Amino acid sequence: MNPAIRIEGVTKCFGSVQALAGVDLEIAEGEFFGLLGPNGAGKTTLISALAGLVRTDAGHLAVMGHDVVADYRAARRRLGVVPQELVFDPFFSVRESLEIQSGYFGIRDNAAWIDEILENLDLTAKADTNMRQLSGGMKRRVLVAQALVHRPPVIVLDEPTAGVDVELRQALWGFIRRLNRDGHTIVLTTHYLEEAENLCGRIAMLKQGRIVALDTTANLLRRFSGHTLRLRLAPGNGLPEALRALTKGEADGAYVFSLENCEGIEGILADLRNAGCSVDDIEVGKPDLEEVFLRVMERG
Ligand SMILES: Nc1ncnc2c1ncn2[C@@H]1O[C@H](COP(=O)(O)OP(=O)(O)OP(=O)(O)O)[C@@H](O)[C@H]1O
Ligand SMILES: [Mg+2]
């Protein structure tokens, strides 16, 4: 079976800036995939190349087995892209924009599906509103709707939740999750790492046009992040010498320890007890993707 997305040896320079420095990536059908990286890492460039909007210097990209250059129309037809930039035509209503977008793909009589999309993105009440009268968050919803009009099996969302309120964000993720359950492949870029952690089964981290980490979300969390223990001692208590070497430092009057797993906590507590120290407050932090991200970027 063809992967939903195949990217092989893709490079791209803008003048002296190397936006993509040799990217290889395969995303299987049905995955919920996260593409993460700091500003300027090359995420949008890669997505634009996939949509045939940017011509690469080398390499190949295919959507559902269709090369995005040689077989452009078939590839584009199978891909829905929610762009990062808010681009819209100010002269049309929401519904008209979606009808026009359907027309680009040669689809007529799309009203039932358009209604369903509008409903799911909570846009029904705005269907006849002119695009220029919408707030930023509303415009972004329309961009999501536009990406879906031709029922593409592969959906790429480039920071779909930037500037979107909490309620819609939840609704949007509910909808995207449903599309994923129905078999759609989802690729997502976001700077909200908590979102990526909750949604994505697998994640690639991009830095300066290169993939510097690629694994399941669970493995990334396991490999690069541990538990953090924050310990506040009762006034007048000093940290025992044995533990001083283990601590990562002090923050807000609390000692911070980095642990591989929960068992490490027992040893620390035993040392404290043996030294006759009393503890005021203790807090255990779980591994999170933000920590993973920072470590990977430091290392990459
Ligand atoms: N059309 C262009 N002309 C010149 N340089 C560009 C162009 N598009 C992107 N770049 C450069 O390519 C690099 C990658 O940009 P890209 O937009 O792909 O990053 P990104 O990972 O999407 O970042 P962000 O998180 O800020 O959206 C950056 O250095 C950017 O300045
Ligand atoms: Mg971008």
Side-chain angles (χ1 to χ4, degrees):
M1 197 168 67
N2 282 317
I5 290 176
R6 175 180 286 139
I7 298 170
E8 282 171 349
V10 168
T11 64
K12 174 69 186 175
C13 285
F14 294 105
S16 61
V17 175
Q18 178 122 40
L20 297 173
V23 175
D24 295 286
L25 182 62
E26 266 191 27
I27 298 172
E29 246 184 87
E31 276 200 75
F32 203 129
F33 192 90
L35 187 61
L36 307 182
N39 292 138
K43 304 178 295 294
T44 299
T45 305
L46 193 61
I47 291 168
S48 303
L50 212 51
L53 300 171
V54 155
R55 202 168 270 276
T56 57
D57 300 332
H60 295 280
L61 302 100
V63 180
M64 303 293 284
H66 299 277
D67 188 275
V68 303
V69 179
D71 202 3
Y72 171 74
R73 285 173 66 87
R76 188 64 191 84
R77 177 97 201 207
R78 284 160 181 79
L79 182 69
V81 178
V82 181
Q84 180 173 14
E85 300 290 328
L86 288 175
V87 278
F88 63 95
D89 195 321
F91 299 108
F92 296 109
S93 71
V94 171
R95 186 183 297 280
E96 283 164 344
S97 301
L98 298 182
E99 283 164 355
I100 292 166
Q101 184 77 12
S102 305
Y104 289 147
F105 290 101
I107 304 167
R108 270 175 292 164
D109 305 327
N110 208 16
W113 176 234
I114 288 178
D115 282 341
E116 193 178 333
I117 298 174
L118 290 173
E119 191 63 41
N120 274 291
L121 292 167
D122 209 4
L123 278 170
T124 306
K126 301 281 178 193
D128 300 315
T129 305
N130 212 287
M131 284 299 292
R132 64 171 174 271
Q133 293 170 314
L134 296 180
S135 71
M138 293 281 180
K139 286 193 190 100
R140 197 165 287 283
R141 297 183 202 194
V142 179
L143 291 185
V144 176
Q146 274 182 346
L148 301 176
V149 288
H150 57 297
R151 300 175 186 260
V154 183
I155 302 164
V156 180
L157 304 107
D158 198 351
E159 291 189 46
T161 47
V164 164
D165 67 36
V166 184
E167 223 170 309
L168 172 72
R169 203 179 285 185
Q170 307 238 331
L172 182 62
W173 292 134
F175 184 40
I176 303 288
R177 268 198 167 118
R178 207 183 83 206
L179 290 169
N180 181 240
R181 271 199 303 274
D182 292 345
H184 292 266
T185 307
I186 310 287
V187 179
L188 163 74
T189 86
T190 180
H191 291 288
Y192 298 104
L193 297 182
E194 216 183 306
E195 276 181 2
E197 184 178 333
N198 290 330
L199 291 162
C200 300
R202 217 155 60 97
I203 285 175
M205 293 191 185
L206 215 56
K207 182 183 179 182
Q208 291 169 2
R210 266 177 233 285
I211 291 179
V212 289
L214 171 66
D215 211 331
T216 62
T217 310
N219 279 344
L220 285 171
L221 287 169
R222 214 169 303 144
R223 245 194 318 148
F224 291 102
S225 179
H227 290 71
T228 315
L229 175 75
R230 280 195 179 73
L231 196 68
R232 199 184 301 277
L233 297 179
N237 285 261
L239 196 68
E241 202 55 46
L243 292 181
R244 224 161 248 291
L246 291 179
T247 174
K248 267 174 54 178
E250 239 186 298
D252 300 330
Y255 295 102
V256 181
F257 298 87
S258 227
L259 305 170
E260 290 289 313
N261 49 46
C262 280
E263 279 90 78
I265 297 171
E266 283 170 31
I268 291 176
L269 293 180
D271 283 353
L272 288 169
R273 208 176 313 116
N274 292 338
C277 282
S278 55
V279 174
D280 246 6
D281 192 26
I282 193 162
E283 188 188 308
V284 183
K286 283 202 314 190
D288 70 33
L289 198 62
E290 197 162 305
E291 190 188 341
V292 175
F293 183 85
L294 293 172
R295 286 204 189 173
V296 168
M297 290 306 145
E298 224 167 63
R299 191 191 62 142

